[in-house]
Amino acid sequence: MELDELRKDCARGQKKGLHFILSSVLIWGLILAVQLTNLTIEQKNLFTFCCSAILFPVSWGFSKLLHIDFEGKGNPLSKLGLLFSLNQLLYILIVMWVYAAVPEKMVMVYAMVFGAHLMPFSWLYQSRSYLVLSIVIPVVSLVAGLLLPPFALCVIMVVVEAVFSLCLHLECKALYGNNESA
């Protein structure tokens, strides 16, 4: 199979990672709830990290609901998608440093890292939504994080991730055409 065919097959089988982006809507909603509590900043930041622990189980659940091949075993590029995801773990070290050094900016840096890690998926899934949002999310997170309290940035992230999910859904509909549902 040619590279572009493998990429298209991966985008179809994984529905462009929609299950992960839908999960991020929920995770950012949970982070928002944490930020609205009366906990100390250190406690809020610790629980913010904990919110991400549900990513894989929730994504797996969404994959079942949306009939997505969670593992993508039939396509060798699925392993590349996993590598793209694991790459974010290296950047989380920066967020951990911010947690200790500048705790009031941790949510901002966390959102920037989340957004920036999406860029390679624009190539894998041939997705304009991933490309645009991998740039927009870090920039918006920086501006909002410098000007607004963390809970406001979380509200923005929930909205952006919901819009992102809708954009991916529309991209999937176009990818499948009239033959299959997205």
Side-chain angles (χ1 to χ4, degrees), residues 69-105:
D69 179 13
F70 188 76
E71 294 179 50
K73 290 181 183 177
N75 189 317
L77 291 183
S78 296
K79 291 179 184 171
L80 186 59
L82 178 62
L83 183 63
F84 291 163
S85 296
L86 293 176
N87 190 38
Q88 184 182 14
L89 293 177
L90 296 173
Y91 302 125
I92 291 298
L93 296 173
I94 298 166
V95 181
M96 289 177 174
W97 177 82
V98 173
Y99 174 91
V102 194
E104 64 277 2
K105 297 302 178 194

Side-chain angles (χ1 to χ4, degrees), residues 7 16 21 84 112 114-140 160-161 163-165 167-168 171:
R7 289 167 59 197
K16 296 193 175 197
I21 303 305
F84 291 163
M112 292 169 68
F114 167 79
H117 105 280
L118 299 171
M119 189 172 281
F121 292 99
S122 69
W123 177 85
L124 180 63
Y125 296 137
Q126 299 171 315
S127 170
R128 186 168 302 274
S129 297
Y130 274 100
L131 180 60
V132 170
L133 287 165
S134 71
I135 297 166
V136 167
I137 291 171
V139 171
V140 167
V160 166
E161 292 305 298
V163 169
F164 190 6
S165 297
C167 291
L168 286 180
E171 281 187 9

